[in-house]
Amino acid sequence: MADPPQYPVYHYPPQYPPYPYQFAPYPQPPRRPGLTTAAVVLMWVQVGLGLLTGIVWAVSLTAGADLFVRVFPGLEGWTPLLLLFTSVQALGLAALRSLFAVRISRRSASARRGALAVEGVSIGLQVAAQVAMVAAMAPLERGQSVSVQFDCTGIVLSILVLCFLGAARSARWCDR
């Protein structure tokens, strides 16, 4: 009769695959690039700013149109139309940005191209609005001065979204 071994005998544990998704029935999609994630986040920030801007312009259309006429004397006849256009434009761009942000998260290449177009149009509208505001303050009498503040937050955010979504990694990820 053989003596039992004097040291413990351990059996090897069963072999498991190191990553359980290796045996999934479908391949996992690649991870979304950081530039695309940053662009989507910036688009959601612009949605919030657009909603806020649209609501403020709509309120100023109803409650503060006379103040707008006093601040910009060159636009007396255009005030209601200008305020309505600005409000609708801000709310419309916010709606488009939210739609494209959701669709970009789902890897839609057409949504990426649409977002690039919306941001380009947005930059053009913002520059035109700033030029119109400065031109409306231009008729000054001798001895008057005007302080102009140029708000470039929306322009900078739009340029960043254009740069982030225009990258090759974003294009590759969105193109299914």
Side-chain angles (χ1 to χ4, degrees), residues 25-97:
Y26 54 89
Q28 294 292 323
R31 186 172 173 197
R32 181 170 45 187
L35 290 176
T36 308
T37 303
V40 169
V41 168
L42 288 178
M43 288 174 70
W44 282 113
V45 167
Q46 286 181 316
V47 167
L49 290 174
L51 290 175
L52 182 66
T53 302
I55 291 170
V56 166
W57 283 112
V59 167
S60 67
L61 173 63
T62 57
D66 55 341
L67 177 66
F68 190 82
V69 168
R70 279 186 276 159
V71 173
F72 302 107
L75 298 174
E76 300 94 17
W78 294 89
T79 300
L81 183 63
L82 184 64
L83 291 174
L84 180 67
F85 173 74
T86 307
S87 178
V88 168
Q89 172 255 329
L91 294 173
L93 286 177
L96 285 174
R97 283 180 177 133

Side-chain angles (χ1 to χ4, degrees), residues 1-9:
M1 208 148 123
D3 290 333
Q6 300 299 320
Y7 52 90
V9 176

Side-chain angles (χ1 to χ4, degrees), residues 92-176:
L93 286 177
L96 285 174
R97 283 180 177 133
S98 64
L99 172 74
F100 290 144
V102 169
R103 291 189 60 212
I104 286 171
S105 296
R106 295 180 182 167
R107 303 184 69 185
S108 172
S110 63
R112 181 185 150 275
R113 288 188 300 271
L116 291 172
V118 163
E119 296 305 329
V121 168
S122 174
I123 290 172
L125 287 173
Q126 291 175 36
V127 168
Q130 293 295 332
V131 169
M133 293 295 181
V134 171
M137 287 192 266
L140 296 176
E141 296 175 11
R142 185 170 289 271
Q144 287 182 330
S145 65
V146 174
S147 174
V148 178
Q149 294 180 348
F150 184 72
D151 179 28
C152 61
T153 305
I155 295 172
V156 169
L157 290 176
S158 293
I159 289 171
L160 287 174
V161 170
L162 280 173
C163 292
F164 292 164
L165 286 180
R169 285 182 278 172
S170 293
R172 238 185 345 265
W173 189 81
C174 287
D175 191 22
R176 293 189 216 193

Side-chain angles (χ1 to χ4, degrees), residues 15-31:
Q15 294 295 317
Y16 295 107
Y19 303 104
Y21 65 82
Q22 285 181 344
F23 298 106
Y26 54 89
Q28 294 292 323
R31 186 172 173 197

